[in-house]
Amino acid sequence: MYTHSNEVITEGKPLSETGKALILVHGRGATAESILGLAQQLPVQDFTLYAPQATNHSWYPYSFMAPEEQNQPALDSALERLDELVKSILDQGVKSEDLYFAGFSQGACLTSEYTSRNARKYGGLLLFTGGLIGQQLDTSKYKGDFAGTPVLITTGNPDPHVPVSRVEETVGVMEKLGASVTKKVYPGRPHTIGREELELASQILKAPNKD
């Protein structure tokens, strides 16, 4: 049985003070510390930050476009770890609409997969170069109602890991689940996060929640 560690790095003011949480999910080969570095470029002073750490720096072994069974059991364990973290935050009295996610690359793929399987009104989803997981998407797995959750999803074209076609499929699934999606495709952009992406993400993080 493969299980990811329970390691989560927390930064910022206590959740009891902020009432808002941002979960940051790192990419393959990266660390919780590295994705927290991204947060320094975002307006997160009023958020409590959570960054889970994948065992061996990878949430699952193969490409997110591989047949899903090839990425098991690591993928299921990664989804469980995210679910445990989400529940621990919500159990502290945070509303789901005050819970935000940000992920890059493999972290964006895992975040899109988790939130689409557990769609609800989140504060916002920042998906930097990623998409839903699997060789073919099994849309029966994606349930719930995003209820207008703002989603930013981006990629380069071409990107060495994330084809635009999968980003477009992901947009379609999320919109069917009620998300308000902003898609940005950057011609010739390397596998990184650009300035405009950070500015668009900042707008979502700064937007007042509408009840």
Side-chain angles (χ1 to χ4, degrees):
M1 179 64 187
Y2 186 99
T3 56
H4 282 285
S5 78
N6 287 314
E7 183 184 352
V8 179
I9 299 178
T10 306
E11 281 190 0
K13 300 172 188 171
L15 194 59
S16 58
E17 288 183 32
T18 65
K20 292 197 296 187
L22 172 61
I23 297 174
L24 297 127
V25 189
H26 69 74
R28 187 189 299 274
T31 62
E33 289 94 341
S34 67
I35 195 77
L36 283 166
L38 169 69
Q40 295 174 5
Q41 303 178 67
L42 295 168
V44 294
Q45 298 78 10
D46 297 326
F47 289 79
T48 306
L49 308 181
Y50 295 85
Q53 175 63 53
T55 298
N56 297 324
H57 309 289
S58 181
W59 294 110
Y60 45 84
Y62 298 105
S63 164
F64 84 118
M65 299 287 289
E68 187 183 312
E69 59 270 19
Q70 291 185 11
N71 278 316
Q72 298 294 8
L75 174 58
D76 277 351
S77 177
L79 292 166
E80 285 168 19
R81 286 289 174 264
L82 267 189
D83 195 51
E84 289 165 4
L85 178 55
V86 167
K87 285 176 177 170
S88 73
I89 292 168
L90 297 179
D91 285 348
Q92 294 177 69
V94 174
K95 299 175 183 176
S96 66
E97 56 261 39
D98 291 320
L99 176 59
Y100 296 70
F101 289 82
F104 172 63
S105 193
Q106 192 185 57
C109 296
L110 185 64
T111 298
S112 63
E113 187 72 18
Y114 173 79
T115 55
S116 295
R117 292 188 189 199
N118 301 274
R120 59 173 82 185
K121 173 83 173 156
Y122 296 107
L125 309 179
L126 312 175
L127 308 173
F128 299 112
T129 311
L132 293 167
I133 296 171
Q135 186 175 37
Q136 304 290 330
L137 294 185
D138 176 5
T139 55
S140 68
K141 290 179 180 172
Y142 306 125
K143 298 182 175 71
D145 183 0
F146 279 123
T149 296
V151 176
L152 172 66
I153 185 167
T154 66
T155 195
N157 185 26
D159 182 88
H161 306 289
V162 181
V164 172
S165 59
R166 177 51 55 90
V167 170
E168 290 171 345
E169 283 182 281
T170 302
V171 170
V173 168
M174 290 186 146
E175 287 183 338
K176 277 187 180 173
L177 293 169
S180 175
V181 183
T182 299
K183 178 189 76 174
K184 291 289 182 179
V185 179
Y186 297 96
R189 191 212 63 189
H191 193 69
T192 186
I193 300 173
R195 172 56 49 191
E196 184 184 274
E197 291 164 87
L198 292 170
E199 290 171 357
L200 292 168
S202 296
Q203 291 172 21
I204 290 174
L205 292 168
K206 289 190 290 190
N209 282 338
K210 300 179 179 66
D211 293 327

